[in-house]
Amino acid sequence: MDADRRRGFADVDDALFDTTQIPLTSRDIRTVGELLHDVDHTARHLLMDVAGDDAGRLLHGWPDLVTAASSLWSSLPGQGFGAGAHTRDEPITRLVSVGDAIGRSLGSSSWPPASRPDRRMTQMTGTLGHVSDLVHRYGADIPVQRAESFRDLEAARARIMHALYVSAHAVGVSLHQHGHSRYRAALGTNRPIELNRRHSPYAVPPTTEWIRRMAVSEAAAGRYLDGRFTQALRGEANRPIEDDTRISRALAGWDIQAHRTLASDAWPTNMVLITRTQGLIAGAAIVLVDAAQHAGHLEPTDRLSPAIAEAGRAWSNLASRWGDLSAPGDRLDPDLMRTAAEVRAAYRELTHASTTMASLDVIAARPGLLPGIDATLHTLESSSELAYVVAEKAEAPNLTGPARALSIRAHNDIEAGLATQAPDGDVVWVSPHDILARRIVPAPRPVVDGLRQASLRTVDACHSAASASAAYCSTPKASLVQHDAGVLEQRAAEWQPRVHVLPERHRGR
């Protein structure tokens, strides 16, 4: 082979492995709309779970989140298209300028100290980056001149801005809680902190500057959403359900990944996500059971739904307890996050309209209900095994967590009678010095006892739900796969939602 031909083959190889020439593949099959829903879901959970100890990490994650949102915003097709485009884009420009200024100030400020960004901020940033990649690749094919395309793009912008609005508010709440903790810690000392009389009372040094700047960001996002958010989401396009096996594949992938994560060394950082997702599966199961019974696919019963509901409550309680043991800087398994997000997206596709829960009539008419509930009941039937594995983790030695959260949990469990009080009377289970220093400490005995009891209750609840689900799965009269196919085809034909105009799933190869 001569040299010229060798160079030719080398050129082919260069093109073959050039990432700018070949679309990257991914195992994430969610649509742009589903990814934006996931960002909004994470932002809402951030606001619900935020604490004062998170303030520094949240601030460090804010500039990157705004940058990712701005990149996605600018990549959406039809920039400058339509009346008032300049006014529409002004808030995101304002947010970028404030975010960049905050990023520069963080490098020279004495507080907060340098740290990794909050993992929830990082998760939202990564998801927005993935959405931006999809839009960059396929956005040119969107007919922006069509009214439905324009409305769908406006809905996407509203989703982006709403995530920023909720996240900015969460950062502000965390800063206020941090200031409140500093004020309470200074009481009774010779250096008390005076409350702020001009702004929020707990905007105390060194959080005063950051609270004001985050308030500017929140106000900029709020002005965009004011009077626009609900109206914009009404124009969000919904695509028909094309894959009626999506829920079954999502649940199978989740079960495999959850066991893999629990078998790894990183399981303590992922217990909250595992238990919360199990609770979500139970909640979705109740909706699907109600829809199937409403449509006549399942015989009404007074056993199945209460058993599933009890299992969902047990998983949620267990998630709260593992949350107390989670350190703020813990990292989540990316594969576990992806499979959990796919479970949420698969259920939402079947159970929700664009902004709210769909009615039982609508859910019953959608393709995928019968395979979805069949897969869900089988998952509930096997969930007791996963509950046993989770319960084993409560027996692990050397469980640790943030001092403040563990102290609160220990005393609350004793007062509620969920843990046995020490023979010597009232005991300080966590040192005040550890709480003040925000240290990671060994879990006190009442916390461990409460966690183990909650784990056993979860096992019992899952066993009851599994028994009820197995009875349905094994009863020929209630078999979901034997239902009249003609009725299903008729109902599927009646369900004609609008087609997505934003890029569809990016299927991995």
Side-chain angles (χ1 to χ4, degrees), residues 33-284:
E34 289 169 346
L35 289 166
L36 290 178
H37 274 294
D38 186 68
V39 173
D40 190 65
H41 171 86
T42 305
R44 292 172 187 266
H45 270 281
L46 172 63
L47 180 57
M48 290 189 292
D49 297 340
V50 74
D53 292 346
D54 301 327
R57 283 177 291 273
L58 290 174
L59 273 174
H60 279 290
W62 174 252
D64 289 340
L65 178 65
V66 174
T67 300
S70 174
S71 176
L72 172 57
W73 190 287
S74 61
S75 68
L76 292 175
Q79 291 299 108
F81 180 79
H86 174 74
T87 304
R88 177 198 67 199
D89 296 338
E90 189 275 333
I92 192 68
T93 304
R94 175 66 172 159
L95 282 167
V96 169
S97 64
V98 175
D100 289 344
I102 289 176
R104 291 191 296 270
S105 298
L106 285 170
S108 58
S109 176
S110 59
W111 192 93
S115 66
R116 293 185 302 186
D118 184 270
R119 63 174 180 266
R120 294 157 294 186
M121 285 284 195
T122 303
Q123 180 181 347
M124 287 188 286
T125 300
T127 305
L128 289 174
H130 182 39
V131 178
S132 183
D133 290 341
L134 290 178
V135 176
H136 270 300
R137 292 174 200 161
Y138 308 115
D141 299 331
I142 298 176
V144 295
Q145 297 82 5
R146 295 181 182 178
E148 61 271 20
S149 300
F150 179 79
R151 289 194 298 267
D152 199 37
L153 289 167
E154 287 299 296
R157 292 187 179 94
R159 292 280 185 194
I160 296 169
M161 192 62 73
H162 187 258
L164 291 176
Y165 175 74
V166 175
S167 300
H169 186 62
V171 179
V173 170
S174 181
L175 289 167
H176 278 93
Q177 292 183 1
H178 182 80
H180 181 263
S181 298
R182 289 180 59 86
Y183 171 77
R184 292 291 300 272
L187 291 177
T189 67
N190 57 357
R191 303 177 65 179
I193 297 176
E194 183 179 356
L195 294 179
N196 195 314
R197 299 183 182 275
R198 295 184 56 191
H199 300 282
S200 172
Y202 295 108
V204 298
T207 63
T208 308
E209 171 193 355
W210 303 116
I211 287 177
R212 292 174 182 171
R213 297 170 79 169
M214 290 307 304
V216 172
S217 298
E218 182 180 343
R223 280 194 297 271
Y224 179 90
L225 297 170
D226 188 20
R228 186 198 303 244
F229 182 63
T230 304
Q231 181 179 357
L233 293 189
R234 290 196 188 103
E236 193 171 35
N238 296 315
R239 62 179 178 80
I241 297 177
E242 301 170 350
D243 182 5
D244 60 3
T245 65
R246 186 181 184 188
I247 290 179
S248 61
R249 289 187 292 105
L251 291 175
W254 165 253
D255 185 66
I256 293 171
Q257 187 57 53
H259 281 85
R260 285 177 177 172
T261 301
L262 289 170
S264 70
D265 294 334
W267 62 265
T269 65
N270 298 280
M271 291 301 293
V272 177
L273 181 57
I274 292 173
T275 48
R276 277 182 174 174
T277 303
Q278 288 298 125
L280 178 141
I281 293 171

Side-chain angles (χ1 to χ4, degrees), residues 321-335:
R321 292 182 174 276
W322 278 109
D324 292 335
L325 295 167
S326 300
D330 287 345
R331 291 296 184 95
L332 289 174
D333 182 354
D335 290 331

Side-chain angles (χ1 to χ4, degrees), residues 358-380:
S359 67
L360 294 181
D361 288 327
V362 171
I363 297 174
R366 287 176 172 172
L369 173 62
L370 297 188
I373 193 173
D374 192 35
T376 301
L377 290 178
H378 280 94
T379 297
L380 292 173

Side-chain angles (χ1 to χ4, degrees), residues 457-501:
R457 286 194 296 270
T458 302
V459 170
D460 291 339
C462 288
H463 181 71
S464 298
S467 300
S469 301
Y472 260 87
C473 293
S474 61
T475 303
K477 188 175 182 180
S479 177
L480 301 174
V481 298
Q482 296 177 2
H483 196 82
D484 184 10
V487 175
L488 298 183
E489 293 177 0
Q490 178 183 355
R491 287 180 172 170
E494 293 172 353
W495 171 242
Q496 296 290 342
R498 293 167 294 174
V499 179
H500 253 305
V501 294

